[in-house]
Amino acid sequence: MKVVATPRFSEQLKALLLTMTETDAEEAKRFKLYLDTILLNLPSKAQKYKPSIYINDTNVRDIEHQGCTIPFYYDTAASACVLLGIIDNRV
């Protein structure tokens, strides 16, 4: 199984990291490093995440990470986890 990032996810992550870097560069590095670890392990742990509160579909699940929510689509037919975006709940 592979992890695929949508352009929306990439843009939102870039903007979030830029904002975090302006306030604390070390926090941004830790956030990104831990997020990479989560995404690396996502194919084997996708079923452990709860169904999304944003999208009413049982195949869409949410990753909660340091005040942010990352909805992803668990596509069993294509054997992929598609990262749909990143929502900053810290604001």
Side-chain angles (χ1 to χ4, degrees):
M1 182 170 287
K2 59 187 173 185
V3 177
V4 180
T6 62
R8 172 175 276 173
F9 173 80
S10 299
E11 291 170 13
Q12 289 174 338
L13 179 60
K14 188 176 182 180
L16 178 65
L17 290 174
L18 183 63
T19 303
M20 291 175 80
T21 302
E22 290 173 357
T23 57
D24 186 356
E26 287 302 313
E27 178 189 355
K29 286 180 186 176
R30 285 191 301 271
F31 177 88
K32 179 70 168 97
L33 182 65
Y34 192 66
L35 179 62
D36 287 345
T37 303
I38 291 171
L39 297 180
L40 182 67
N41 292 314
L42 184 59
S44 63
K45 297 183 180 189
Q47 289 296 326
K48 85 171 196 166
Y49 294 103
K50 64 181 177 154
S52 179
I53 60 171
Y54 300 102
I55 301 168
N56 190 18
D57 184 340
T58 57
N59 290 325
V60 178
R61 299 181 174 275
D62 288 340
I63 299 170
E64 299 287 334
H65 174 56
Q66 294 182 359
C68 295
T69 304
I70 304 163
F72 70 93
Y73 179 71
Y74 184 62
D75 188 355
T76 53
S79 189
C81 294
V82 182
L83 304 173
L84 302 174
I86 186 165
I87 302 159
D88 188 1
N89 299 321
R90 300 172 304 141
V91 181

